[in-house]
mmCIF file with all atom_site columns, all heavy atoms in Angstrom:
data_model
loop_
_atom_site.group_PDB
_atom_site.id
_atom_site.type_symbol
_atom_site.label_atom_id
_atom_site.label_alt_id
_atom_site.label_comp_id
_atom_site.label_asym_id
_atom_site.label_entity_id
_atom_site.label_seq_id
_atom_site.pdbx_PDB_ins_code
_atom_site.Cartn_x
_atom_site.Cartn_y
_atom_site.Cartn_z
_atom_site.occupancy
_atom_site.B_iso_or_equiv
_atom_site.pdbx_formal_charge
_atom_site.auth_seq_id
_atom_site.auth_comp_id
_atom_site.auth_asym_id
_atom_site.auth_atom_id
_atom_site.pdbx_PDB_model_num
ATOM 1   N N   . GLY A 1 1  ? 9.278   -23.020 47.241 1.00 0.00 ? 23 GLY A N   1
ATOM 2   C CA  . GLY A 1 1  ? 9.896   -22.008 46.341 1.00 0.00 ? 23 GLY A CA  1
ATOM 3   C C   . GLY A 1 1  ? 9.010   -21.120 45.573 1.00 0.00 ? 23 GLY A C   1
ATOM 4   O O   . GLY A 1 1  ? 7.780   -21.256 45.497 1.00 0.00 ? 23 GLY A O   1
ATOM 5   N N   . GLY A 1 2  ? 9.567   -20.140 45.051 1.00 0.00 ? 24 GLY A N   1
ATOM 6   C CA  . GLY A 1 2  ? 9.318   -19.127 44.068 1.00 0.00 ? 24 GLY A CA  1
ATOM 7   C C   . GLY A 1 2  ? 7.997   -18.491 43.858 1.00 0.00 ? 24 GLY A C   1
ATOM 8   O O   . GLY A 1 2  ? 7.947   -17.326 43.570 1.00 0.00 ? 24 GLY A O   1
ATOM 9   N N   . ALA A 1 3  ? 6.907   -19.233 44.069 1.00 0.00 ? 25 ALA A N   1
ATOM 10  C CA  . ALA A 1 3  ? 5.623   -18.674 43.524 1.00 0.00 ? 25 ALA A CA  1
ATOM 11  C C   . ALA A 1 3  ? 5.115   -17.394 44.214 1.00 0.00 ? 25 ALA A C   1
ATOM 12  O O   . ALA A 1 3  ? 4.435   -16.672 43.650 1.00 0.00 ? 25 ALA A O   1
ATOM 13  C CB  . ALA A 1 3  ? 4.618   -19.703 43.553 1.00 0.00 ? 25 ALA A CB  1
ATOM 14  N N   . THR A 1 4  ? 5.579   -17.184 45.428 1.00 0.00 ? 26 THR A N   1
ATOM 15  C CA  . THR A 1 4  ? 4.984   -16.085 46.219 1.00 0.00 ? 26 THR A CA  1
ATOM 16  C C   . THR A 1 4  ? 5.919   -14.879 46.338 1.00 0.00 ? 26 THR A C   1
ATOM 17  O O   . THR A 1 4  ? 5.598   -13.929 46.859 1.00 0.00 ? 26 THR A O   1
ATOM 18  C CB  . THR A 1 4  ? 4.543   -16.558 47.604 1.00 0.00 ? 26 THR A CB  1
ATOM 19  O OG1 . THR A 1 4  ? 5.699   -17.077 48.232 1.00 0.00 ? 26 THR A OG1 1
ATOM 20  C CG2 . THR A 1 4  ? 3.501   -17.627 47.460 1.00 0.00 ? 26 THR A CG2 1
ATOM 21  N N   . GLY A 1 5  ? 7.211   -15.120 45.985 1.00 0.00 ? 27 GLY A N   1
ATOM 22  C CA  . GLY A 1 5  ? 8.179   -14.048 46.193 1.00 0.00 ? 27 GLY A CA  1
ATOM 23  C C   . GLY A 1 5  ? 8.687   -13.886 47.629 1.00 0.00 ? 27 GLY A C   1
ATOM 24  O O   . GLY A 1 5  ? 8.287   -14.648 48.514 1.00 0.00 ? 27 GLY A O   1
ATOM 25  N N   . ALA A 1 6  ? 9.629   -12.941 47.878 1.00 0.00 ? 28 ALA A N   1
ATOM 26  C CA  . ALA A 1 6  ? 10.223  -12.818 49.190 1.00 0.00 ? 28 ALA A CA  1
ATOM 27  C C   . ALA A 1 6  ? 9.233   -12.431 50.285 1.00 0.00 ? 28 ALA A C   1
ATOM 28  O O   . ALA A 1 6  ? 9.401   -12.839 51.443 1.00 0.00 ? 28 ALA A O   1
ATOM 29  C CB  . ALA A 1 6  ? 11.349  -11.726 49.122 1.00 0.00 ? 28 ALA A CB  1
ATOM 30  N N   . ALA A 1 7  ? 8.148   -11.725 49.937 1.00 0.00 ? 29 ALA A N   1
ATOM 31  C CA  . ALA A 1 7  ? 7.185   -11.352 50.990 1.00 0.00 ? 29 ALA A CA  1
ATOM 32  C C   . ALA A 1 7  ? 6.309   -12.460 51.349 1.00 0.00 ? 29 ALA A C   1
ATOM 33  O O   . ALA A 1 7  ? 5.607   -12.412 52.473 1.00 0.00 ? 29 ALA A O   1
ATOM 34  C CB  . ALA A 1 7  ? 6.296   -10.244 50.415 1.00 0.00 ? 29 ALA A CB  1
ATOM 35  N N   . GLY A 1 8  ? 6.272   -13.574 50.602 1.00 0.00 ? 30 GLY A N   1
ATOM 36  C CA  . GLY A 1 8  ? 5.393   -14.706 50.958 1.00 0.00 ? 30 GLY A CA  1
ATOM 37  C C   . GLY A 1 8  ? 3.960   -14.309 50.713 1.00 0.00 ? 30 GLY A C   1
ATOM 38  O O   . GLY A 1 8  ? 3.593   -13.706 49.694 1.00 0.00 ? 30 GLY A O   1
ATOM 39  N N   . LEU A 1 9  ? 3.076   -14.651 51.639 1.00 0.00 ? 31 LEU A N   1
ATOM 40  C CA  . LEU A 1 9  ? 1.706   -14.196 51.640 1.00 0.00 ? 31 LEU A CA  1
ATOM 41  C C   . LEU A 1 9  ? 1.559   -13.087 52.567 1.00 0.00 ? 31 LEU A C   1
ATOM 42  O O   . LEU A 1 9  ? 2.242   -12.932 53.651 1.00 0.00 ? 31 LEU A O   1
ATOM 43  C CB  . LEU A 1 9  ? 0.796   -15.347 51.954 1.00 0.00 ? 31 LEU A CB  1
ATOM 44  C CG  . LEU A 1 9  ? 0.747   -16.486 51.141 1.00 0.00 ? 31 LEU A CG  1
ATOM 45  C CD1 . LEU A 1 9  ? -0.382  -17.507 51.544 1.00 0.00 ? 31 LEU A CD1 1
ATOM 46  C CD2 . LEU A 1 9  ? 0.545   -16.179 49.633 1.00 0.00 ? 31 LEU A CD2 1
ATOM 47  N N   . ALA A 1 10 ? 0.563   -12.184 52.273 1.00 0.00 ? 32 ALA A N   1
ATOM 48  C CA  . ALA A 1 10 ? 0.340   -10.981 53.215 1.00 0.00 ? 32 ALA A CA  1
ATOM 49  C C   . ALA A 1 10 ? -1.185  -10.826 53.311 1.00 0.00 ? 32 ALA A C   1
ATOM 50  O O   . ALA A 1 10 ? -1.918  -10.548 52.340 1.00 0.00 ? 32 ALA A O   1
ATOM 51  C CB  . ALA A 1 10 ? 0.933   -9.762  52.609 1.00 0.00 ? 32 ALA A CB  1
ATOM 52  N N   . ASP A 1 11 ? -1.676  -11.088 54.529 1.00 0.00 ? 33 ASP A N   1
ATOM 53  C CA  . ASP A 1 11 ? -3.127  -10.830 54.908 1.00 0.00 ? 33 ASP A CA  1
ATOM 54  C C   . ASP A 1 11 ? -4.021  -11.626 53.901 1.00 0.00 ? 33 ASP A C   1
ATOM 55  O O   . ASP A 1 11 ? -5.045  -11.050 53.417 1.00 0.00 ? 33 ASP A O   1
ATOM 56  C CB  . ASP A 1 11 ? -3.480  -9.366  54.894 1.00 0.00 ? 33 ASP A CB  1
ATOM 57  C CG  . ASP A 1 11 ? -2.671  -8.595  55.988 1.00 0.00 ? 33 ASP A CG  1
ATOM 58  O OD1 . ASP A 1 11 ? -2.666  -9.057  57.091 1.00 0.00 ? 33 ASP A OD1 1
ATOM 59  O OD2 . ASP A 1 11 ? -2.137  -7.610  55.654 1.00 0.00 ? 33 ASP A OD2 1
ATOM 60  N N   . LEU A 1 12 ? -3.699  -12.887 53.686 1.00 0.00 ? 34 LEU A N   1
ATOM 61  C CA  . LEU A 1 12 ? -4.500  -13.684 52.853 1.00 0.00 ? 34 LEU A CA  1
ATOM 62  C C   . LEU A 1 12 ? -4.833  -15.031 53.621 1.00 0.00 ? 34 LEU A C   1
ATOM 63  O O   . LEU A 1 12 ? -4.268  -15.324 54.623 1.00 0.00 ? 34 LEU A O   1
ATOM 64  C CB  . LEU A 1 12 ? -3.746  -14.099 51.581 1.00 0.00 ? 34 LEU A CB  1
ATOM 65  C CG  . LEU A 1 12 ? -3.424  -12.941 50.610 1.00 0.00 ? 34 LEU A CG  1
ATOM 66  C CD1 . LEU A 1 12 ? -2.583  -13.428 49.442 1.00 0.00 ? 34 LEU A CD1 1
ATOM 67  C CD2 . LEU A 1 12 ? -4.629  -12.220 50.029 1.00 0.00 ? 34 LEU A CD2 1
ATOM 68  N N   . SER A 1 13 ? -5.996  -15.651 53.143 1.00 0.00 ? 35 SER A N   1
ATOM 69  C CA  . SER A 1 13 ? -6.325  -16.957 53.795 1.00 0.00 ? 35 SER A CA  1
ATOM 70  C C   . SER A 1 13 ? -5.961  -18.081 52.780 1.00 0.00 ? 35 SER A C   1
ATOM 71  O O   . SER A 1 13 ? -5.953  -18.011 51.625 1.00 0.00 ? 35 SER A O   1
ATOM 72  C CB  . SER A 1 13 ? -7.871  -16.956 53.873 1.00 0.00 ? 35 SER A CB  1
ATOM 73  O OG  . SER A 1 13 ? -8.289  -15.924 54.754 1.00 0.00 ? 35 SER A OG  1
ATOM 74  N N   . VAL A 1 14 ? -5.595  -19.180 53.425 1.00 0.00 ? 36 VAL A N   1
ATOM 75  C CA  . VAL A 1 14 ? -5.135  -20.428 52.814 1.00 0.00 ? 36 VAL A CA  1
ATOM 76  C C   . VAL A 1 14 ? -6.040  -21.485 53.092 1.00 0.00 ? 36 VAL A C   1
ATOM 77  O O   . VAL A 1 14 ? -6.604  -21.673 54.253 1.00 0.00 ? 36 VAL A O   1
ATOM 78  C CB  . VAL A 1 14 ? -3.719  -20.781 53.323 1.00 0.00 ? 36 VAL A CB  1
ATOM 79  C CG1 . VAL A 1 14 ? -3.202  -22.054 52.607 1.00 0.00 ? 36 VAL A CG1 1
ATOM 80  C CG2 . VAL A 1 14 ? -2.718  -19.635 53.020 1.00 0.00 ? 36 VAL A CG2 1
ATOM 81  N N   . ARG A 1 15 ? -6.331  -22.404 52.153 1.00 0.00 ? 37 ARG A N   1
ATOM 82  C CA  . ARG A 1 15 ? -7.128  -23.637 52.355 1.00 0.00 ? 37 ARG A CA  1
ATOM 83  C C   . ARG A 1 15 ? -6.349  -24.773 51.782 1.00 0.00 ? 37 ARG A C   1
ATOM 84  O O   . ARG A 1 15 ? -6.266  -24.988 50.577 1.00 0.00 ? 37 ARG A O   1
ATOM 85  C CB  . ARG A 1 15 ? -8.514  -23.466 51.737 1.00 0.00 ? 37 ARG A CB  1
ATOM 86  C CG  . ARG A 1 15 ? -9.381  -24.717 51.867 1.00 0.00 ? 37 ARG A CG  1
ATOM 87  C CD  . ARG A 1 15 ? -10.841 -24.273 51.773 1.00 0.00 ? 37 ARG A CD  1
ATOM 88  N NE  . ARG A 1 15 ? -11.288 -23.511 52.972 1.00 0.00 ? 37 ARG A NE  1
ATOM 89  C CZ  . ARG A 1 15 ? -12.440 -22.909 53.039 1.00 0.00 ? 37 ARG A CZ  1
ATOM 90  N NH1 . ARG A 1 15 ? -13.398 -22.945 52.030 1.00 0.00 ? 37 ARG A NH1 1
ATOM 91  N NH2 . ARG A 1 15 ? -12.730 -22.271 54.132 1.00 0.00 ? 37 ARG A NH2 1
ATOM 92  N N   . ASN A 1 16 ? -5.783  -25.576 52.639 1.00 0.00 ? 38 ASN A N   1
ATOM 93  C CA  . ASN A 1 16 ? -5.014  -26.759 52.280 1.00 0.00 ? 38 ASN A CA  1
ATOM 94  C C   . ASN A 1 16 ? -5.893  -27.986 52.274 1.00 0.00 ? 38 ASN A C   1
ATOM 95  O O   . ASN A 1 16 ? -6.582  -28.236 53.246 1.00 0.00 ? 38 ASN A O   1
ATOM 96  C CB  . ASN A 1 16 ? -3.862  -27.019 53.244 1.00 0.00 ? 38 ASN A CB  1
ATOM 97  C CG  . ASN A 1 16 ? -2.817  -26.010 53.274 1.00 0.00 ? 38 ASN A CG  1
ATOM 98  O OD1 . ASN A 1 16 ? -1.983  -25.885 52.367 1.00 0.00 ? 38 ASN A OD1 1
ATOM 99  N ND2 . ASN A 1 16 ? -2.795  -25.103 54.309 1.00 0.00 ? 38 ASN A ND2 1
ATOM 100 N N   . LEU A 1 17 ? -5.865  -28.755 51.211 1.00 0.00 ? 39 LEU A N   1
ATOM 101 C CA  . LEU A 1 17 ? -6.576  -30.004 51.133 1.00 0.00 ? 39 LEU A CA  1
ATOM 102 C C   . LEU A 1 17 ? -5.675  -31.264 51.351 1.00 0.00 ? 39 LEU A C   1
ATOM 103 O O   . LEU A 1 17 ? -4.668  -31.346 50.663 1.00 0.00 ? 39 LEU A O   1
ATOM 104 C CB  . LEU A 1 17 ? -7.268  -30.147 49.829 1.00 0.00 ? 39 LEU A CB  1
ATOM 105 C CG  . LEU A 1 17 ? -8.285  -29.104 49.385 1.00 0.00 ? 39 LEU A CG  1
ATOM 106 C CD1 . LEU A 1 17 ? -9.041  -29.573 48.152 1.00 0.00 ? 39 LEU A CD1 1
ATOM 107 C CD2 . LEU A 1 17 ? -9.245  -28.744 50.492 1.00 0.00 ? 39 LEU A CD2 1
ATOM 108 N N   . VAL A 1 18 ? -5.958  -32.004 52.397 1.00 0.00 ? 40 VAL A N   1
ATOM 109 C CA  . VAL A 1 18 ? -5.109  -33.182 52.766 1.00 0.00 ? 40 VAL A CA  1
ATOM 110 C C   . VAL A 1 18 ? -5.956  -34.362 52.984 1.00 0.00 ? 40 VAL A C   1
ATOM 111 O O   . VAL A 1 18 ? -7.119  -34.280 53.192 1.00 0.00 ? 40 VAL A O   1
ATOM 112 C CB  . VAL A 1 18 ? -4.342  -32.787 54.090 1.00 0.00 ? 40 VAL A CB  1
ATOM 113 C CG1 . VAL A 1 18 ? -3.495  -31.459 53.970 1.00 0.00 ? 40 VAL A CG1 1
ATOM 114 C CG2 . VAL A 1 18 ? -5.222  -32.662 55.319 1.00 0.00 ? 40 VAL A CG2 1
ATOM 115 N N   . HIS A 1 19 ? -5.289  -35.529 52.820 1.00 0.00 ? 41 HIS A N   1
ATOM 116 C CA  . HIS A 1 19 ? -6.126  -36.796 52.842 1.00 0.00 ? 41 HIS A CA  1
ATOM 117 C C   . HIS A 1 19 ? -5.737  -37.677 54.055 1.00 0.00 ? 41 HIS A C   1
ATOM 118 O O   . HIS A 1 19 ? -4.576  -37.965 54.209 1.00 0.00 ? 41 HIS A O   1
ATOM 119 C CB  . HIS A 1 19 ? -5.834  -37.512 51.522 1.00 0.00 ? 41 HIS A CB  1
ATOM 120 C CG  . HIS A 1 19 ? -6.786  -38.593 51.244 1.00 0.00 ? 41 HIS A CG  1
ATOM 121 N ND1 . HIS A 1 19 ? -8.132  -38.298 50.821 1.00 0.00 ? 41 HIS A ND1 1
ATOM 122 C CD2 . HIS A 1 19 ? -6.729  -39.929 51.284 1.00 0.00 ? 41 HIS A CD2 1
ATOM 123 C CE1 . HIS A 1 19 ? -8.780  -39.405 50.574 1.00 0.00 ? 41 HIS A CE1 1
ATOM 124 N NE2 . HIS A 1 19 ? -7.943  -40.412 50.900 1.00 0.00 ? 41 HIS A NE2 1
ATOM 125 N N   . THR A 1 20 ? -6.763  -38.105 54.723 1.00 0.00 ? 42 THR A N   1
ATOM 126 C CA  . THR A 1 20 ? -6.434  -38.945 55.967 1.00 0.00 ? 42 THR A CA  1
ATOM 127 C C   . THR A 1 20 ? -6.146  -40.332 55.612 1.00 0.00 ? 42 THR A C   1
ATOM 128 O O   . THR A 1 20 ? -6.611  -40.882 54.622 1.00 0.00 ? 42 THR A O   1
ATOM 129 C CB  . THR A 1 20 ? -7.647  -38.864 56.951 1.00 0.00 ? 42 THR A CB  1
ATOM 130 O OG1 . THR A 1 20 ? -8.828  -39.479 56.330 1.00 0.00 ? 42 THR A OG1 1
ATOM 131 C CG2 . THR A 1 20 ? -7.997  -37.432 57.322 1.00 0.00 ? 42 THR A CG2 1
ATOM 132 N N   . SER A 1 21 ? -5.415  -40.992 56.552 1.00 0.00 ? 43 SER A N   1
ATOM 133 C CA  . SER A 1 21 ? -5.227  -42.473 56.405 1.00 0.00 ? 43 SER A CA  1
ATOM 134 C C   . SER A 1 21 ? -5.985  -43.165 57.483 1.00 0.00 ? 43 SER A C   1
ATOM 135 O O   . SER A 1 21 ? -6.281  -44.324 57.282 1.00 0.00 ? 43 SER A O   1
ATOM 136 C CB  . SER A 1 21 ? -3.741  -42.780 56.590 1.00 0.00 ? 43 SER A CB  1
ATOM 137 O OG  . SER A 1 21 ? -3.223  -42.381 57.842 1.00 0.00 ? 43 SER A OG  1
ATOM 138 N N   . LEU A 1 22 ? -6.333  -42.463 58.557 1.00 0.00 ? 44 LEU A N   1
ATOM 139 C CA  . LEU A 1 22 ? -6.880  -43.191 59.705 1.00 0.00 ? 44 LEU A CA  1
ATOM 140 C C   . LEU A 1 22 ? -7.985  -42.243 60.254 1.00 0.00 ? 44 LEU A C   1
ATOM 141 O O   . LEU A 1 22 ? -7.747  -41.050 60.371 1.00 0.00 ? 44 LEU A O   1
ATOM 142 C CB  . LEU A 1 22 ? -5.847  -43.378 60.743 1.00 0.00 ? 44 LEU A CB  1
ATOM 143 C CG  . LEU A 1 22 ? -6.177  -44.082 62.096 1.00 0.00 ? 44 LEU A CG  1
ATOM 144 C CD1 . LEU A 1 22 ? -6.451  -45.541 61.887 1.00 0.00 ? 44 LEU A CD1 1
ATOM 145 C CD2 . LEU A 1 22 ? -4.956  -43.907 63.087 1.00 0.00 ? 44 LEU A CD2 1
ATOM 146 N N   . GLY A 1 23 ? -9.117  -42.853 60.702 1.00 0.00 ? 45 GLY A N   1
ATOM 147 C CA  . GLY A 1 23 ? -10.116 -42.062 61.189 1.00 0.00 ? 45 GLY A CA  1
ATOM 148 C C   . GLY A 1 23 ? -9.921  -41.807 62.776 1.00 0.00 ? 45 GLY A C   1
ATOM 149 O O   . GLY A 1 23 ? -9.221  -42.592 63.400 1.00 0.00 ? 45 GLY A O   1
ATOM 150 N N   . GLY A 1 24 ? -10.616 -40.883 63.323 1.00 0.00 ? 46 GLY A N   1
ATOM 151 C CA  . GLY A 1 24 ? -10.467 -40.688 64.749 1.00 0.00 ? 46 GLY A CA  1
ATOM 152 C C   . GLY A 1 24 ? -11.079 -39.337 65.217 1.00 0.00 ? 46 GLY A C   1
ATOM 153 O O   . GLY A 1 24 ? -11.533 -38.514 64.359 1.00 0.00 ? 46 GLY A O   1
ATOM 154 N N   . SER A 1 25 ? -11.066 -39.115 66.473 1.00 0.00 ? 47 SER A N   1
ATOM 155 C CA  . SER A 1 25 ? -11.514 -37.863 67.074 1.00 0.00 ? 47 SER A CA  1
ATOM 156 C C   . SER A 1 25 ? -10.392 -37.101 67.710 1.00 0.00 ? 47 SER A C   1
ATOM 157 O O   . SER A 1 25 ? -9.255  -37.547 67.578 1.00 0.00 ? 47 SER A O   1
ATOM 158 C CB  . SER A 1 25 ? -12.609 -38.159 68.079 1.00 0.00 ? 47 SER A CB  1
ATOM 159 O OG  . SER A 1 25 ? -12.075 -38.983 69.122 1.00 0.00 ? 47 SER A OG  1
ATOM 160 N N   . GLY A 1 26 ? -10.730 -35.987 68.309 1.00 0.00 ? 48 GLY A N   1
ATOM 161 C CA  . GLY A 1 26 ? -9.702  -35.159 68.908 1.00 0.00 ? 48 GLY A CA  1
ATOM 162 C C   . GLY A 1 26 ? -8.667  -34.624 67.961 1.00 0.00 ? 48 GLY A C   1
ATOM 163 O O   . GLY A 1 26 ? -7.460  -34.728 68.091 1.00 0.00 ? 48 GLY A O   1
ATOM 164 N N   . VAL A 1 27 ? -9.164  -34.191 66.774 1.00 0.00 ? 49 VAL A N   1
ATOM 165 C CA  . VAL A 1 27 ? -8.244  -33.777 65.657 1.00 0.00 ? 49 VAL A CA  1
ATOM 166 C C   . VAL A 1 27 ? -7.371  -32.609 66.042 1.00 0.00 ? 49 VAL A C   1
ATOM 167 O O   . VAL A 1 27 ? -7.839  -31.645 66.628 1.00 0.00 ? 49 VAL A O   1
ATOM 168 C CB  . VAL A 1 27 ? -9.078  -33.444 64.437 1.00 0.00 ? 49 VAL A CB  1
ATOM 169 C CG1 . VAL A 1 27 ? -8.195  -33.031 63.326 1.00 0.00 ? 49 VAL A CG1 1
ATOM 170 C CG2 . VAL A 1 27 ? -10.003 -34.530 64.049 1.00 0.00 ? 49 VAL A CG2 1
ATOM 171 N N   . ARG A 1 28 ? -6.090  -32.763 65.773 1.00 0.00 ? 50 ARG A N   1
ATOM 172 C CA  . ARG A 1 28 ? -5.102  -31.635 65.954 1.00 0.00 ? 50 ARG A CA  1
ATOM 173 C C   . ARG A 1 28 ? -4.388  -31.403 64.592 1.00 0.00 ? 50 ARG A C   1
ATOM 174 O O   . ARG A 1 28 ? -4.204  -32.276 63.801 1.00 0.00 ? 50 ARG A O   1
ATOM 175 C CB  . ARG A 1 28 ? -4.103  -31.986 67.053 1.00 0.00 ? 50 ARG A CB  1
ATOM 176 C CG  . ARG A 1 28 ? -4.646  -32.220 68.375 1.00 0.00 ? 50 ARG A CG  1
ATOM 177 C CD  . ARG A 1 28 ? -3.522  -32.704 69.258 1.00 0.00 ? 50 ARG A CD  1
ATOM 178 N NE  . ARG A 1 28 ? -3.984  -33.020 70.647 1.00 0.00 ? 50 ARG A NE  1
ATOM 179 C CZ  . ARG A 1 28 ? -3.643  -32.469 71.779 1.00 0.00 ? 50 ARG A CZ  1
ATOM 180 N NH1 . ARG A 1 28 ? -2.755  -31.467 71.704 1.00 0.00 ? 50 ARG A NH1 1
ATOM 181 N NH2 . ARG A 1 28 ? -4.033  -32.757 72.915 1.00 0.00 ? 50 ARG A NH2 1
ATOM 182 N N   . ILE A 1 29 ? -3.887  -30.193 64.405 1.00 0.00 ? 51 ILE A N   1
ATOM 183 C CA  . ILE A 1 29 ? -3.089  -29.906 63.304 1.00 0.00 ? 51 ILE A CA  1
ATOM 184 C C   . ILE A 1 29 ? -1.669  -29.275 63.860 1.00 0.00 ? 51 ILE A C   1
ATOM 185 O O   . ILE A 1 29 ? -1.620  -28.697 64.917 1.00 0.00 ? 51 ILE A O   1
ATOM 186 C CB  . ILE A 1 29 ? -3.674  -28.850 62.359 1.00 0.00 ? 51 ILE A CB  1
ATOM 187 C CG1 . ILE A 1 29 ? -3.945  -27.494 63.007 1.00 0.00 ? 51 ILE A CG1 1
ATOM 188 C CG2 . ILE A 1 29 ? -4.973  -29.422 61.759 1.00 0.00 ? 51 ILE A CG2 1
ATOM 189 C CD1 . ILE A 1 29 ? -4.389  -26.363 62.031 1.00 0.00 ? 51 ILE A CD1 1
ATOM 190 N N   . THR A 1 30 ? -0.681  -29.461 63.091 1.00 0.00 ? 52 THR A N   1
ATOM 191 C CA  . THR A 1 30 ? 0.628   -28.795 63.261 1.00 0.00 ? 52 THR A CA  1
ATOM 192 C C   . THR A 1 30 ? 0.863   -27.784 62.218 1.00 0.00 ? 52 THR A C   1
ATOM 193 O O   . THR A 1 30 ? 0.774   -28.080 61.061 1.00 0.00 ? 52 THR A O   1
ATOM 194 C CB  . THR A 1 30 ? 1.745   -29.800 63.280 1.00 0.00 ? 52 THR A CB  1
ATOM 195 O OG1 . THR A 1 30 ? 1.482   -30.839 64.312 1.00 0.00 ? 52 THR A OG1 1
ATOM 196 C CG2 . THR A 1 30 ? 3.025   -29.192 63.620 1.00 0.00 ? 52 THR A CG2 1
ATOM 197 N N   . LEU A 1 31 ? 1.151   -26.543 62.591 1.00 0.00 ? 53 LEU A N   1
ATOM 198 C CA  . LEU A 1 31 ? 1.593   -25.531 61.708 1.00 0.00 ? 53 LEU A CA  1
ATOM 199 C C   . LEU A 1 31 ? 3.125   -25.247 61.921 1.00 0.00 ? 53 LEU A C   1
ATOM 200 O O   . LEU A 1 31 ? 3.543   -25.143 63.024 1.00 0.00 ? 53 LEU A O   1
ATOM 201 C CB  . LEU A 1 31 ? 0.892   -24.253 61.984 1.00 0.00 ? 53 LEU A CB  1
ATOM 202 C CG  . LEU A 1 31 ? -0.636  -24.249 61.838 1.00 0.00 ? 53 LEU A CG  1
ATOM 203 C CD1 . LEU A 1 31 ? -1.341  -22.975 62.038 1.00 0.00 ? 53 LEU A CD1 1
ATOM 204 C CD2 . LEU A 1 31 ? -1.012  -24.724 60.341 1.00 0.00 ? 53 LEU A CD2 1
ATOM 205 N N   . SER A 1 32 ? 3.862   -25.235 60.777 1.00 0.00 ? 54 SER A N   1
ATOM 206 C CA  . SER A 1 32 ? 5.282   -25.203 60.811 1.00 0.00 ? 54 SER A CA  1
ATOM 207 C C   . SER A 1 32 ? 5.857   -23.943 60.235 1.00 0.00 ? 54 SER A C   1
ATOM 208 O O   . SER A 1 32 ? 5.421   -23.508 59.073 1.00 0.00 ? 54 SER A O   1
ATOM 209 C CB  . SER A 1 32 ? 5.962   -26.414 60.180 1.00 0.00 ? 54 SER A CB  1
ATOM 210 O OG  . SER A 1 32 ? 7.338   -26.363 60.148 1.00 0.00 ? 54 SER A OG  1
ATOM 211 N N   . ASN A 1 33 ? 6.780   -23.274 60.937 1.00 0.00 ? 55 ASN A N   1
ATOM 212 C CA  . ASN A 1 33 ? 7.480   -22.177 60.391 1.00 0.00 ? 55 ASN A CA  1
ATOM 213 C C   . ASN A 1 33 ? 9.044   -22.494 60.501 1.00 0.00 ? 55 ASN A C   1
ATOM 214 O O   . ASN A 1 33 ? 9.859   -21.587 60.715 1.00 0.00 ? 55 ASN A O   1
ATOM 215 C CB  . ASN A 1 33 ? 7.186   -20.858 61.175 1.00 0.00 ? 55 ASN A CB  1
ATOM 216 C CG  . ASN A 1 33 ? 7.657   -19.648 60.556 1.00 0.00 ? 55 ASN A CG  1
ATOM 217 O OD1 . ASN A 1 33 ? 7.850   -19.556 59.353 1.00 0.00 ? 55 ASN A OD1 1
ATOM 218 N ND2 . ASN A 1 33 ? 7.879   -18.591 61.322 1.00 0.00 ? 55 ASN A ND2 1
ATOM 219 N N   . VAL A 1 34 ? 9.437   -23.766 60.330 1.00 0.00 ? 56 VAL A N   1
ATOM 220 C CA  . VAL A 1 34 ? 10.715  -24.157 60.504 1.00 0.00 ? 56 VAL A CA  1
ATOM 221 C C   . VAL A 1 34 ? 11.689  -23.487 59.580 1.00 0.00 ? 56 VAL A C   1
ATOM 222 O O   . VAL A 1 34 ? 12.848  -23.221 59.978 1.00 0.00 ? 56 VAL A O   1
ATOM 223 C CB  . VAL A 1 34 ? 10.791  -25.778 60.315 1.00 0.00 ? 56 VAL A CB  1
ATOM 224 C CG1 . VAL A 1 34 ? 12.242  -26.174 60.153 1.00 0.00 ? 56 VAL A CG1 1
ATOM 225 C CG2 . VAL A 1 34 ? 10.132  -26.422 61.422 1.00 0.00 ? 56 VAL A CG2 1
#
């Protein structure tokens, strides 16, 4: 909600910090535009 307005982000970079539960290799990420 709300913090970015209707335009969302425009030509900016994002850095999300997330915390793992399990170690491993072959790391993949999912990006969602649902």
Side-chain angles (χ1 to χ4, degrees):
T26 60
L31 297 186
D33 295 314
L34 296 175
S35 298
V36 180
R37 180 156 289 169
N38 295 286
L39 301 190
V40 304
H41 197 73
T42 65
S43 62
L44 181 71
S47 58
V49 181
R50 297 174 184 245
I51 64 171
T52 301
L53 299 180
S54 176
N55 192 26
V56 166

